[in-house]
Amino acid sequence: MKDWRTDPTFAMCRELADGADLASFSGGPFDVRAVVAGILSESWQGLDLDAAPWGNFPHGRDVRDAVHLLRADGGPGKDATDVLWGLCANDSRAAAALAVPFLIPLAIDAHHPYRTAALTMLSGPARARHHGVASREEFLLHRNDPRRHAPNTHDDYGYEVTGYPAGWSVAAARAAITRATPVLLPLLADSAPAIRVDAAYVLATVTDPDHSIRTALADRLGAESDAIVRAALLLATAEITRAHPHAPTVTWLRDRWYDRTEASEARLAAAVGWLCLTDQAAPEELHWTVDTLADEERAQAMDALPWMNAASGTTEPGFLRCRRRMLHPEEPDPETAFWDSLF
């Protein structure tokens, strides 16, 4: 990758660091929200990859090349997805957010060889601060918790490593996914369980003030038989409810983890979701449910859920990390012990 400091947007980032008003750049050529909004006014099919201003964003030309490889139907797709994942993991999402409209047609094409890769990548730039996050206060939130951190000028997301406003990247990606809701919802009924899981993960980032996506997730749960997919639907419901509070859904999730006829993985996912949506103390029944069902084998299996995979540590599966952080904070952190052992 080229040095991001040679990108034109670095001048904006430097001015922001020197105290410039972020609003003065809003809607301009370096505002990825505005650029994506312009793209969304066109049809999904036939979007002109080269018409997008990739050079206006850090690593933009690398992202353009990665998307081109995925669209080429036969190029080295893993290399392309590594570029996109690497930028999101390294907290540099602006150009990846610009890629979302171009990835959506691949994700909904059942015959495209990189369909799964494209679907998996869609929500990468739509989330921030979620890798390794497993606490009750911050899991499923993906931004600073205003109850614990001082708010800043753009939706509590702060700045990316390049100095770019992270909230703009997240908002652009979420806007594109929200616009694509009609073509993404059918993936919840795809024949492949992995596609159904990834579709739930993507749809959890949709702006859903009228609760239509939450309703669709709950409706799909009624028809879903796969335990891991059921867990994904419940986590997606909890995440979207964290963004758009809805008291009846909190009660509904409580009923799911309490229901002993429900699949174990789904009960565990519902318990985590419920804990993140309420300030109530965890009841003894929930402690018993989680501690009884969350063995090592099941926790490893639940790492197939992207939420849990993101929460995992070097030596600790994601669900066990969530259980420890949420219900047993007094227990030592194996991640700390691991790194301490190296020095």
Side-chain angles (χ1 to χ4, degrees):
M1 290 186 182
K2 301 179 180 68
D3 186 343
W4 61 267
R5 289 171 296 184
T6 65
D7 289 306
T9 195
F10 178 61
M12 181 192 80
C13 297
R14 185 168 54 193
E15 288 184 45
L16 291 174
D18 290 340
D21 183 4
L22 180 63
S24 65
F25 296 98
S26 181
F30 302 122
D31 183 347
V32 70
R33 300 171 304 173
V35 174
V36 167
I39 293 172
L40 295 181
S41 65
E42 305 174 27
S43 168
W44 290 118
Q45 303 299 332
L47 291 177
D48 186 349
L49 186 67
D50 292 321
W54 299 102
N56 284 9
F57 303 98
H59 305 301
R61 292 183 178 85
D62 297 308
V63 172
R64 181 265 173 213
D65 292 345
V67 175
H68 173 73
L69 287 175
L70 291 175
R71 295 176 98 193
D73 191 0
K78 184 179 184 304
D79 293 345
T81 54
D82 284 350
V83 169
L84 295 167
W85 271 121
L87 289 173
C88 293
N90 291 327
D91 193 27
S92 180
R93 301 175 193 82
L98 180 55
V100 171
F102 300 94
L103 294 173
I104 287 169
L106 311 186
I108 63 177
D109 182 352
H111 304 293
H112 199 282
Y114 299 130
R115 175 199 190 192
T116 300
L119 180 62
T120 302
M121 270 308 308
L122 280 185
S123 61
R127 290 179 169 90
R129 296 190 64 257
H130 67 295
H131 289 287
V133 173
S135 69
R136 186 174 178 179
E137 294 80 12
E138 296 177 302
F139 191 65
L140 304 179
L141 188 63
H142 313 311
R143 63 170 70 181
N144 291 334
D145 184 344
R147 295 172 300 177
R148 305 177 65 217
H149 305 282
N152 59 42
T153 56
H154 29 94
D155 297 332
D156 303 324
Y157 279 100
Y159 294 91
E160 296 178 2
V161 67
T162 59
Y164 194 82
W168 286 9
S169 301
V170 172
R174 291 193 174 211
I177 293 168
T178 299
R179 165 80 159 68
T181 295
V183 297
L184 292 172
L185 275 172
L187 299 184
L188 291 176
D190 192 87
S191 60
I195 292 291
R196 302 201 296 274
V197 168
D198 288 340
Y201 193 57
V202 170
L203 287 165
T205 67
V206 166
T207 302
D208 188 39
D210 62 357
H211 313 310
S212 60
I213 303 303
R214 178 174 23 239
T215 299
L217 293 167
D219 288 347
R220 179 59 204 172
L221 188 72
E224 183 57 64
S225 59
D226 186 283
I228 291 294
V229 182
R230 290 183 70 82
L233 293 168
L234 290 165
L235 285 172
T237 301
E239 181 178 347
I240 210 164
T241 302
R242 186 145 209 187
H244 305 282
H246 187 242
T249 298
V250 180
T251 302
W252 181 79
L253 282 168
R254 183 194 180 283
D255 293 342
R256 301 286 74 74
W257 66 253
Y258 193 80
D259 183 1
R260 298 193 181 197
T261 67
E262 178 61 89
S264 297
E265 294 82 357
R267 293 183 72 191
L268 292 172
V272 166
W274 183 84
L275 285 169
C276 292
L277 295 177
T278 178
D279 291 328
Q280 296 180 38
E284 287 301 316
E285 178 73 13
L286 185 144
H287 274 273
W288 182 88
T289 297
V290 172
D291 289 340
T292 300
L293 298 179
D295 57 28
E296 182 77 24
E297 182 178 357
R298 184 166 288 121
Q300 293 285 356
M302 289 183 71
D303 264 358
L305 296 166
W307 296 268
M308 294 304 166
N309 185 268
S312 63
T314 303
T315 62
E316 189 176 30
F319 186 82
L320 295 185
R321 187 174 176 84
C322 288
R323 180 186 68 168
R324 177 177 57 78
R325 294 292 308 277
M326 295 182 187
L327 296 177
H328 302 287
E330 75 285 352
E331 293 182 1
D333 184 352
E335 187 87 354
T336 300
F338 170 78
W339 288 109
D340 287 348
S341 71
L342 301 179
F343 301 101

